[in-house]
Amino acid sequence: MSELKYDQKICTKCEKIDCLTRCQHIALDLEEARQEWMKILAGRDSRVLHECLTCYACEEYCPYHNHPFYLIVDRQEELSAWPVPVPLTKQQIAMMAPKGQIVAQKVSAPVINLCSFPMLAGSIQGKLFAGASIIGGNDLFCNIMWLHFAKNSVIRERLPKVINNLMDYYLKVSGVDELICFHDECFGTYTQLAPAFGIEVPFKPIHLFEYLTKKLTELKKEIRPINAKVAYQRPCSNRLVPETQHWVDEIFKLIGAIRPAREYEGENALCCGMVVQAAQRDDRADAIQKRNLDDMAAVGARYCVFNCPMCFMTLKGMVAERGMTPILISDLCRIALGEGFWG
Amino acid sequence: MEEIYRELVKIVGERFVSNQPEERFLYSRDPGTMEPHAPDWVVMPNTTEEVQKIVRLANRQKIPLVPMGGGLVLSGLSRPLQGGMVLDMKRMNRILEVNEASSYVVVEAGASQGMLQAYLKKHHPRLKHSIPDAPPIATIGGNVLIHGSGHLSAAGGFHSEMLNGLEVVLPTGEVARIGSCSASPYWFSRSPLPDLAGLFLGWHGTTGVVTKLAIKLFPARPWNDVGIFVIEDPELAPDIIRRLARVQVAEDILAWMSPKPDWAKGFQMINIAYGAETKAELTLKRDLIRESVRPYLERKVGGFMPLPPDMKVRFLEAPQSTLAVFADVNKGGGFEYVGAIMPVELFAPAFRKGLEIAESRKVPYSLGARIVGLAHCMMFFYAYAFNRADQADVRRAQTALEDTNAMVLEMGGIPWKAETPAQKQIIKKMDPNTFALMNRLRAVLDPQGIMNPGNWEA
Ligand SMILES: Cc1cc2nc3c(=O)[nH]c(=O)nc-3n(C[C@H](O)[C@H](O)[C@H](O)COP(=O)(O)OP(=O)(O)OC[C@H]3O[C@@H](n4cnc5c(N)ncnc54)[C@H](O)[C@@H]3O)c2cc1C
């Protein structure tokens, strides 16, 4: 089993314990944070393991990129500190299991990977995706989701097979070495999580945002500016790859969308609430969602734009109730190109 | 024979009576496993008076008479075991009165579930009836008379408990009204009079032909949600179900256990449907439901599936289409289930033994339980699908059903809307005085023994 690449010495010497003192959900002063973190390092139980809402943020807050979140998840699993009730976890593991239904297929660049959301294929159309090959399904599911379930073991077991599937069934046979990750989670998995878990990724993952930026630049002349304020729902997995955030600004600039300054964005972004519900803490989920939506409404957003399909499905009704239009980022770009949208 | 046909034509008109092989074939069977029995005539009355005339004719000629609604009971109860007439009630489908203030509707017995649902949605959108998961053509009469249950059974009990009153043509041809409607223009309740409705509930059409009935309506709420509580230990189910039901928030509580889809296998899912007038009330109800099972959440042995609203839509459908889809899993459209009415504390053995039977008999199965009242009891169902064109498949399902009926009775449950062989098994277990009383009542009501003969007979 692959070992997590983290350096205990870095944590022992750490003075600020940002991973815990900056946590949005557990209130800890520096001293408490230090004590709890030392327990976690020593493999002992800590209240953090039980109170963690698995929002991924500490992975971003650690200035040393020492993977505090992955360590928390490893410890939760070792100590059976399950964030989600056990039957639900087992059920999800069964639901998302590889189906073994994959067949080799010649693809050509750009290859858009929809991961476990093949039902979003309708959104891959128009000029932005002309000539694209679309792949997806449970056999290509990146498996990062198990971070929410204290099941790194499932990631370790399934992710290498998924990478093999991508290579053996699509990329290698087609001589393609780039994979466009429609979902931020996949990009985070292949560029940040896999290396941290010591899993090799033999292709080049490209974030959807980068792909869209490139395409929009090519199609610049055809863009009709959106001219509206747009709130962006940052997915939890983006905490793993904060360096991709600038693409959102570039996309907004290209399509003439206004990104008003919000309280809950960037490092301060709030989770969509779905995993909090999975952890059976609906009251917390309600409060987080309310703060998030109040914030979007307060800045007068007309659209709320999503990358993560799960965030989209969770929040879209509530966003619409507030008079905003929930939309996937690719669809917003297509509106700017005068194409209407699918979702 | 021809003379009877002509008499029937005189009563209902030529279009609504048949002695032709096509109709005799169709009316000889239902989608279940019971052997076909062909009627000699199929007749479709349009009014209570026509029903009276048909009953009188049958009486004079000592011809068996089998009332039928949708014919969807699955256990073959509207097959004419001794030939005679099938009285198809589907033309008597008028919705006669909706009393908004007292929340009830008066319908003709042949009004279908689908019609009433659509009518209420259109004309009384703030009211609904407790709809079963049966296909929409199932009738209100057929369902209430067999003690059906449905989407409001956690709130209102069996559908027979939601019956306010009825009009019935007795086997000798007189019309009787039962409940408040016998002494008042209102159909508000069966109380406070001697409750004669019991003479017609659960009798499988052996005591009269119900022509009208009033059932309770309930608020149709603008905000609706469903929680799906998942466990993997059936021993926990009774306490969890009791807790969920006793909060008195749920409209429907339905447990389901199925080997398909793959992620469902090995788990027990409990759907809790509830509605509210406002979003705040809905949240409050959700919290009450959640609070009721807190000890299980804390022990992490059960939890509510995290489902975004879109994914909940199909679980909020009423009727649910899942059973109907399952019904054709083997193709050939054969489907039957044992619905066992039993105490909730028998959930775990009921589940385990059902699983054993289904797996050993190699029949596709879907198990589940609809909770009645505040977990006062449940209708535990063992649904088996089969291909009607494949006799071996039919036989396999039949054996599984027989084994299940026997197992249910042994455990202390009672098969609901039981097939005639299962009725005999029930009678064997029944207090002999009870059965003797049933026979005495039946002899008084139906001296010629014309009503659905072969049912409730030792
Ligand atoms: C997929 C599926 C799902 C189902 N789900 C449910 C469910 O959730 N809840 C539930 O309760 N049932 C369910 N059922 C069982 C059954 O279909 C229903 O109970 C249905 O409502 C029975 O009504 P019917 O009109 O088809 O009755 P029928 O089958 O026509 O008749 C039932 C019995 O009542 C007698 N009868 C009918 N009408 C009269 C009358 N007017 N006067 C006197 N006697 C009469 C008949 O002789 C017969 O003995 C389901 C069936 C299927 C196929």
Side-chain angles (χ1 to χ4, degrees), chain B residues 31 66-74 77-78 89 109-110 113 131-135 137-151 159 200 203-206 208-211 323-324 327 335 337 370 379 416-417 451-452 455:
Chain B
V66 179
M68 183 186 128
L72 282 161
V73 76
L74 303 172
L77 300 182
S78 54
M89 298 295 289
Q113 301 288 343
I131 194 156
D133 288 317
I137 190 67
T139 62
I140 304 293
N143 182 264
V144 166
L145 295 176
I146 57 165
H147 296 293
S149 54
H151 282 255
H159 291 165
F200 308 97
W203 287 85
H204 305 336
T206 58
V209 182
V210 172
T211 43
L323 255 194
F335 172 59
Y337 64 92
R370 173 157 266 138
M379 188 277 288
W416 159 62
K417 62 182 176 66
M451 296 302 300
N452 208 358
N455 279 279

Side-chain angles (χ1 to χ4, degrees), chain B residues 239-253:
Chain B
D239 186 51
I240 290 171
I241 288 170
R242 256 191 310 272
R243 286 164 179 269
L244 291 167
R246 286 180 183 171
V247 196
Q248 302 193 36
V249 161
E251 292 184 352
D252 186 25
I253 301 182

Side-chain angles (χ1 to χ4, degrees), chain A residues 82 86 280 286 316 321, chain B residues 279 286 290 300 304 310:
Chain A
W82 309 117
V86 175
Q280 309 298 301
D286 291 350
K316 70 175 184 179
E321 270 170 35
Chain B
K279 195 172 180 188
R286 179 203 66 189
R290 181 170 290 279
K300 309 271 180 192
F304 293 91
D310 278 2

Side-chain angles (χ1 to χ4, degrees), chain A residues 50 82-88 90-92 94-95 99 149 274 277-283 286 310 313-314 316 318 321, chain B residues 223 228-232 262-264 267 269 279 283 286-287 290 294 297 300-311:
Chain A
H50 301 274
W82 309 117
V84 175
V86 175
L88 291 181
K90 288 190 183 169
Q91 194 173 58
Q92 292 291 322
M95 199 182 286
K99 297 272 181 280
F149 292 80
M274 176 50 72
Q277 288 166 355
Q280 309 298 301
R281 299 184 194 179
D282 279 18
D283 50 337
D286 291 350
M310 212 60 201
M313 285 196 267
T314 304
K316 70 175 184 179
M318 288 176 243
E321 270 170 35
Chain B
W223 293 85
I228 304 181
F229 197 77
V230 183
I231 50 176
E232 55 175 339
D262 294 342
W263 55 263
F267 300 99
M269 275 67 61
K279 195 172 180 188
T283 307
R286 179 203 66 189
D287 292 345
R290 181 170 290 279
R294 179 142 312 279
L297 298 178
K300 309 271 180 192
V301 293
F304 293 91
M305 269 175 104
L307 287 179
D310 278 2
M311 292 189 184

